[in-house]
Amino acid sequence: MTNRGRTRRIAIACAFLPVAFVVSPTSLASNDSTQVVAVVLSHPVTAADVNPSTSDVASHQATGTAEEHIKWLRNYRARNLVGIITTHIFKAYAEENNLTPSEDDLATYLKMVEPSRDEAHRRALEIVCESTNFTAKQKTDFLAAMETRTAGKADAKRKLAKAVIENWNVQEALHRAYGGRLLLSSFGTHVAVDANMKYLRDEATKGAFQINDEADRQAFWEHLADTNWGDGVATEEEANRILDNPPWKVSVSTSGDRPNLAGQKRQQAGPAPTRNAEAIP
């Protein structure tokens, strides 16, 4: 796989793949970065949030036709709209349905993806200190600085773990509530595509989010409906098996003292209650 192809697959594993279609560029004529293009749970989404940078625009215009540029620009905006809107909506759903990761899940996930090497790491740092003939103060300062850097990385890993587990929990709960297909991803970001569509349409009807421009609305829903980016589509039975066994809860014979959490199920979460979103003038 080329670097370009790999980058594309990574990007669409984090947000739904854009679909190409031709629309009038009229609605893109405004250069006002403060223009409100959508509102989600009373949070305004501006043109600056969804548009590419001027340098990206110039670069793309130089490499393709006007028609290709319009497709690219619409897809770019739609991809960002999908990311922003689903982040807000699914975060609220997770909080309302108690789907945020437990401390046990976080600890198990972190232990699974990167076994602890704290002691070995600290010993390696001490060897560095000894080999460079640090004074006692220099050694203390050096180790303290390394501890600070390690703590920062640990915090970033914890945030990533929380996001991964929470996303899995939300997708599982929505699939339980609405059913449908499960798109599989080699990156582990499986998507309950039909359930997402049904839930988000319910939320849009309730006013949880609104998108101003008709072309943007069309692009948003087509992004959500696209199934071409995945590594396969699971049947209902396969989806249930997969979602029942997240990697950080599956028993591993070589897991040592890792807790055996296989087979545990969370309480099924239903659709979130109606929420009001600020109407766009």
Side-chain angles (χ1 to χ4, degrees):
M1 183 183 295
T2 65
N3 287 337
R4 184 177 180 181
R6 186 177 295 107
T7 300
R8 179 174 179 271
R9 288 181 67 81
I10 292 173
I12 61 181
C14 301
F16 302 111
L17 176 69
V19 289
F21 60 97
V22 180
V23 295
S24 168
T26 303
S27 61
L28 300 178
S30 174
N31 291 320
D32 182 7
S33 62
T34 64
Q35 177 189 15
V36 175
V37 298
V39 170
V40 52
L41 300 179
S42 299
H43 297 281
V45 181
T46 67
D49 296 323
V50 299
N51 284 339
S53 67
T54 54
S55 59
D56 283 344
V57 170
S59 176
H60 193 273
Q61 283 178 322
T63 60
T65 66
E67 180 178 335
E68 289 171 338
H69 180 67
I70 292 172
K71 291 179 181 179
W72 171 79
L73 187 55
R74 275 298 176 204
N75 291 334
Y76 191 104
R77 286 167 62 93
R79 182 171 62 247
N80 285 335
L81 276 172
V82 166
I84 293 169
I85 290 174
T86 57
T87 294
H88 281 286
I89 295 293
F90 291 160
K91 181 66 175 177
Y93 183 78
E95 292 174 352
E96 292 165 0
N97 290 283
N98 194 30
L99 298 175
T100 54
S102 68
E103 288 300 320
D104 285 345
D105 278 357
L106 286 172
T108 306
Y109 179 90
L110 290 169
K111 192 171 185 178
M112 177 194 74
V113 298
E114 185 167 343
S116 175
R117 297 184 178 91
D118 289 348
E119 189 57 38
H121 178 65
R122 184 170 184 84
R123 178 55 188 153
L125 292 178
E126 290 177 346
I127 291 174
V128 170
C129 293
E130 293 167 1
S131 65
T132 53
N133 296 316
F134 279 172
T135 65
K137 183 178 186 309
Q138 287 175 327
K139 177 179 178 180
T140 299
D141 291 345
F142 175 73
L143 292 177
M146 292 300 99
E147 287 292 336
T148 299
R149 291 181 58 182
T150 301
K153 292 179 180 179
D155 184 58
K157 290 176 183 177
R158 182 180 173 84
K159 288 180 179 178
L160 176 60
K162 184 176 184 297
V164 169
I165 298 174
E166 184 168 287
N167 177 72
W168 185 291
N169 291 350
V170 167
Q171 294 302 308
E172 178 185 6
L174 289 174
H175 188 266
R176 297 281 181 249
Y178 292 91
R181 298 167 297 170
L182 180 71
L183 288 184
L184 305 178
S185 166
S186 57
F187 299 100
T189 52
H190 307 319
V191 175
V193 58
D194 295 326
N196 286 349
M197 285 285 288
K198 291 176 182 177
Y199 179 66
L200 288 168
R201 286 201 180 277
D202 287 347
E203 291 296 280
T205 299
K206 296 172 184 177
F209 69 92
Q210 299 175 352
I211 302 173
N212 263 353
D213 184 74
E214 175 58 34
D216 280 339
R217 284 195 294 273
Q218 179 186 350
F220 176 86
W221 293 114
E222 291 195 20
H223 270 70
L224 288 172
D226 184 48
T227 60
N228 293 322
W229 65 266
D231 295 311
V233 180
T235 65
E236 192 78 16
E237 181 179 353
E238 291 170 337
N240 289 333
R241 176 181 54 79
I242 292 168
L243 293 172
D244 274 349
N245 295 284
W248 55 93
K249 288 193 174 183
V250 176
S251 295
V252 180
S253 59
T254 58
S255 60
D257 61 350
R258 297 179 192 175
N260 178 356
L261 301 175
Q264 293 185 10
K265 295 184 180 180
R266 291 181 301 281
Q267 181 178 356
Q268 176 175 327
T274 302
R275 295 187 294 270
N276 294 322
E278 177 182 330
I280 301 176

